[in-house]
Amino acid sequence: MSHVEEFLTAEEESDIVNAIVEAEKNTSGEIRVHIESTSKIDHFSRAQQLFHFLKMDNTKEGNGVLLYVAVDDRKFVIYGGEGIDRAVPKGFWDSTKDVIASHFKKRDFKQGIVEGILMAGKELQSHFPWNHDDTNELNDAISKG
């Protein structure tokens, strides 16, 4: 079994998907999680690549957020679309990153991802509130590489 498959249990993955659904209930923003073992390029650049590959840059308001995790490298990146970067306060991603990192240090990966998702969703809600004609533009499932 690969480190990616060992990283989270099926139940933990289900909890993460449920957190995405919960976070997206009150916002038009879109949140995805991508997990892979390692990256051959710097992790921020890899997150940018995946953001495009997962078509997260195609959201109507540029309000996608990708939480990228490279398991073997012990690195993660929070990457937000252009609309989000214009809207969220300076340092927002740093506070979210700190919360995730504190859980990761305790090897509580699921809880770190869940709390990061919920924090992102709450921030998205204030800048991109849910509208009655909003549709879920992206799959909520965890993608893996």
Side-chain angles (χ1 to χ4, degrees):
M1 187 181 283
S2 78
H3 292 150
V4 172
E5 295 301 320
E6 296 171 347
F7 185 64
L8 298 166
T9 66
E11 182 179 339
E12 289 171 329
E13 287 188 18
S14 177
D15 290 345
I16 289 168
V17 171
N18 289 337
I20 292 170
V21 170
E22 182 65 30
E24 291 181 351
K25 274 185 184 173
N26 298 310
T27 179
S28 63
E30 297 288 336
I31 301 170
R32 297 281 320 257
V33 174
H34 182 86
I35 301 170
E36 62 186 16
S37 59
T38 188
S39 176
K40 292 179 172 57
I41 60 175
D42 76 271
H43 297 93
F44 186 82
S45 295
R46 180 64 177 144
Q48 283 180 308
Q49 279 183 343
L50 288 163
F51 193 85
H52 179 70
F53 178 77
L54 296 170
K55 301 193 181 329
M56 296 185 72
D57 48 1
N58 291 347
T59 59
K60 183 171 52 176
E61 296 184 76
N63 57 359
V65 175
L66 175 64
L67 177 53
Y68 165 71
V69 180
V71 176
D72 292 345
D73 299 342
R74 296 180 180 219
K75 300 283 185 183
F76 71 92
V77 173
I78 304 166
Y79 188 84
E82 290 178 11
I84 290 172
D85 282 344
R86 286 191 299 268
V88 297
K90 187 170 176 58
F92 170 74
W93 298 124
D94 292 335
S95 60
T96 306
K97 181 181 171 188
D98 291 344
V99 167
I100 295 169
S102 70
H103 286 286
F104 278 22
K105 285 177 185 166
K106 296 182 278 187
R107 302 190 58 75
D108 193 354
F109 304 114
K110 180 212 72 162
Q111 193 60 36
I113 293 170
V114 165
E115 286 192 29
I117 289 166
L118 295 176
M119 284 181 73
K122 188 170 187 173
E123 190 65 30
L124 288 171
Q125 179 182 351
S126 64
H127 299 286
F128 301 97
W130 184 84
N131 192 319
H132 71 278
D133 63 348
D134 283 335
T135 58
N136 191 9
E137 297 179 81
L138 300 172
N139 189 327
D140 295 331
I142 297 170
S143 61
K144 298 178 183 176

